[in-house]
Amino acid sequence: MTSKKMWFLGRLMHRHKRLSQLSSFFRSASCAAEGAVAPPVDSSVTAEQAVRLWAQHFTLHGISEPLLSSQYIIAHVLGKKTFEGVDRRQLKDPLTDTQTVSVWNLCTKRLTSMPVQYVIEEWDFRDLTLKMKPPVFIPRPETEELVGLVLENLRLIRGESYGADLRCLEVGVGSGAISLSLLHSIPQLRVFALDQSQAAVCLTMENANRLGLQDRLEVQQLDVMGDSDALLSKCGPVHFLVSNPPYLLTQEMQSLQTEIVRFEDHAALDGGLDGLSVIRSILVLASELLIERGRVYLEVAQCHPPVIRQMIEETMPGLLYLETRCDLSNRPRFCIIQRRA
Amino acid sequence: MVVGCFRKSLSCASRLRTFTTHTRDIRLFIKRPAIHRTVKSTLQELENANPRSFHTSHPAMVTKILTVDEIFSKKSLHDFLKKKEMEYISCLEALNTDNQTLDEEEMKIKRNNLSVLAPLVQKMKELEDKQKDLKDTQELLTDNDPDMHDLAETESQNCLAAIHDIKLKILSFLIPEEESDMSDLVLEVTAGVGGQEAMLFTDEIFDMYQNFAAFNGWGFDVLEVMSSELGGVRNATASISGPLSYKKLKFEAGVHRVQRVPKTEKQGRMHTSTMTVAILPQPTEISFSVNPKDLRIETKRASGAGGQHVNTTDSAVRIVHLPTGIVSECQQERSQIKNKEKAMTLLRAKLYSARLEEETSKRYQARKVQIGTKGRSEKIRTYNFSQDRITDHRIGKTIHDVHGFLQGEELLEEMIEYLQQFSEQESLMDILKDTDYNQQ
């Protein structure tokens, strides 16, 4: 056999091997999710082609935000946070084999309606990049505004440097977004945080360790509704309390996006029949744990602020409802409440 | 030969007249032998280098950058300096005579004026002294003693050098500082005429400035990139920060033109495409504030219940300034609040530049080197690939090596230095012209 023939056969076999590799992702894809994507005809795909291919496939399977999902996943595989951040010339280069494998694996997960944040296992919250892990609640953009509101309010009360010795309690810490952002912005702050879910407690600790903020943070697995005595004995008086508690009404739970219903912890979302059951417990706790004139900062559903105000005025003489603030889309979203002197 | 050359440049000028509105320059160069010489020699050089590649768009417009001595030979400069000296003396007298009629406010203005003028007047005095020294020394040059003659020769050389330095210093006092010269900036590139080729070129220019920022050690933060499906960039913005960033980049604003055979062109025809650069100074929080009530902020979460009800990854933010209708947007970040901050940066830069433009439009009307967003419609530079040259039409400067230029390093720096010199000279001439005008 001539050497030319040998070379030709070798190339053919090599190509064939890579093709069969690609189609095997698709077999596994079709098992995990409903439907499979046709593998690329040529065995090498550029980032741009992969984005288009998966966006089409997501659309076909009714996955929400098809193009963005595909872009975020591929940007992540290329080591960037957003598709806009990827060097434009890199988009024309073929993906390496390892990159192709991870794009296909991650996109296949997305086909099951898993939220992008869980698929790539991280997301940004203000200045921080946090690890995300199902079923721990994924922080929403409104909560970034809650942190901004707390920081602005504290500066107003305590001056630009927030003063010395500042303690805070967070109820329902989730992935740690609020507490870690506050710790990141205020170097003298100490936080006591709790969550009823062990997974959330672990994830918060993991994020705190990654960011080097673990020294000023204590996280406990406690239920604000059931374990209030234990909580009172463990946590001393605090200057302020912050929370993004579960505030959805139980009846709303089934009408949520598939992403939320299938993957996120319902306990982090379901606030009972009127969406206020956890909020009530927080307010009771606030009158016991806050120092005089200490404040509570809450994120709530847009129907809640007037109800909470009325509840405080009628049944909680120790508290004063100060203010309702709106989110970027002008929905009443945040409540500021103060403990009376 | 001389006649032939002159005729050539004349015909060149008449051809030019059809292209350009700068008739003033053409008149100038016909009348003034110095400039004529420049043109002639450039023409000759060109013909020697490559007789076939003669093109009209560049040599005839060479604008001369005057030497220090040439500027000092102008009567208007001397008049201006005299006026400043008088002003200084009158301020000094007013403050010294303990005048009761002046109130606190006027005193303050005069004192301020004095401190501004003092260094200039001092330099003028130094110049006078040195010129006297020079005159005295030059008298000694006629001396018969060879040693004495040598000494005088050296001394007068030293004097001339010192005079030159002092003159430079005086001119630098006269060139006004722009309010925004010390600020950071927002760069915006937009594809113009020429379809996909224009977008590819826009992409290259955006890269050039990114490299130029790195070359100067400035920060380069991409705010927004709108890529085209086919490749290239429709529109992109970046915030650039660092010492002198605005002062250097402000001359880059305007229409940039590319002439080449595009990669997509199958028949090998040359295309001409354009893109636009806008340079917006970035105001500080203190110097420029925006009323939050004037803003409408749009996000993908605006419809529906928001909050825990929805999980979206679309974190793009768009801000509309209602009174002016100016819009900015950002989707560069995964965090919505970060996108909002960046969109605000962009919006503030746009609003500030609109205000600056309004304030300064009168002052710069007659200038060739435009700044800010002014002159966006004016073609400022051509990148010609087949002749491997970049020509800046405002100052008629040509630099060779297009690929090197697009690297955004020394060659771009060189072009910008020329523009800077030219602009300083123009603002100086403006001041002198004002003096002439006031005296008439």
Side-chain angles (χ1 to χ4, degrees), chain B residues 166-369:
Chain B
I166 295 170
K167 281 179 173 176
L168 266 182
K169 199 86 199 156
I170 289 177
L171 290 183
S172 77
F173 281 133
L174 298 184
I175 293 160
E177 282 272 325
E178 301 287 339
E179 184 204 340
S180 47
D181 266 0
M182 298 320 286
S183 72
D184 296 338
L185 65 108
V186 170
L187 162 79
E188 182 176 17
V189 294
T190 313
V193 186
Q196 203 204 339
E197 161 69 356
M199 293 187 241
L200 289 171
F201 182 57
T202 308
D203 196 358
E204 286 164 61
I205 292 290
F206 195 55
D207 282 344
M208 174 176 83
Y209 291 124
Q210 183 155 12
N211 290 339
F212 190 63
F215 180 71
N216 277 283
W218 301 328
F220 190 95
D221 196 5
V222 178
L223 298 177
E224 187 190 17
V225 177
M226 280 175 65
S227 300
S228 148
E229 284 273 304
L230 299 162
V233 165
R234 283 176 207 282
N235 176 277
T237 47
S239 139
I240 300 178
S241 54
L244 302 178
S245 51
Y246 179 74
K247 198 172 180 176
K248 280 189 178 176
L249 284 176
K250 64 181 176 184
F251 304 113
E252 295 299 294
V255 175
H256 296 233
R257 181 174 74 166
V258 62
Q259 292 175 321
R260 66 177 169 193
V261 180
K263 281 181 198 144
T264 49
E265 167 65 52
K266 293 192 178 65
Q267 279 146 30
R269 281 175 305 199
M270 176 131 99
H271 287 216
T272 297
S273 315
T274 64
M275 57 84 58
T276 310
V277 173
I279 303 286
L280 321 173
Q282 180 67 58
T284 57
E285 283 298 331
I286 309 140
S287 68
F288 186 71
S289 63
V290 178
N291 187 350
K293 287 205 175 82
D294 289 342
L295 304 177
R296 188 175 73 225
I297 298 172
E298 297 169 4
T299 64
K300 278 290 142 60
R301 301 179 70 81
S303 59
Q308 291 172 4
H309 290 86
V310 267
N311 176 22
T312 51
T313 53
D314 191 338
S315 48
V317 174
R318 191 178 128 100
I319 308 180
V320 186
H321 185 251
L322 298 169
T324 58
I326 291 176
V327 176
S328 73
E329 47 188 300
C330 181
Q331 50 184 36
Q332 208 63 31
E333 301 279 337
R334 292 196 297 213
S335 150
Q336 182 175 281
I337 217 153
K338 288 261 142 202
N339 278 332
K340 189 194 146 204
E341 280 167 15
K342 284 193 167 185
M344 263 319 275
T345 306
L346 185 56
L347 182 76
R348 283 165 45 78
K350 284 184 177 177
L351 289 173
Y352 184 62
S353 127
R355 197 190 73 178
L356 272 190
E357 195 169 320
E358 201 177 300
E359 280 175 6
T360 51
S361 61
K362 276 185 200 138
R363 267 166 68 201
Y364 294 110
Q365 238 158 28
R367 292 253 201 119
K368 265 198 277 175
V369 181

Side-chain angles (χ1 to χ4, degrees), chain A residues 157-207:
Chain A
I157 304 169
R158 301 176 58 101
E160 275 307 308
S161 57
Y162 305 104
D165 177 44
L166 192 59
R167 274 160 296 131
C168 151
L169 168 66
E170 186 190 350
V171 176
V173 72
S175 58
I178 300 178
S179 285
L180 296 173
S181 291
L182 290 172
L183 287 167
H184 176 78
S185 299
I186 314 177
Q188 67 273 36
L189 177 71
R190 305 190 74 84
V191 174
F192 186 95
L194 56 99
D195 204 297
Q196 44 75 39
S197 139
Q198 186 57 41
V201 171
C202 292
L203 186 59
T204 295
M205 274 324 289
E206 192 180 337
N207 277 322

Side-chain angles (χ1 to χ4, degrees), chain A residues 221-274:
Chain A
Q221 189 200 350
L222 287 168
D223 182 354
V224 70
M225 301 207 278
D227 306 329
S228 62
D229 290 341
L231 175 57
L232 284 174
S233 66
K234 280 180 179 158
C235 173
V238 292
H239 294 86
F240 67 99
L241 193 160
V242 61
S243 182
N244 172 24
Y247 56 68
L248 303 189
L249 280 56
T250 305
Q251 63 183 47
E252 293 173 325
M253 289 301 292
Q254 286 317 307
S255 57
L256 298 172
Q257 286 165 263
T258 328
E259 276 85 354
I260 303 178
V261 176
R262 259 196 224 167
F263 292 91
E264 284 189 298
D265 186 357
H266 288 205
L269 298 155
D270 188 348
L273 285 176
D274 58 359

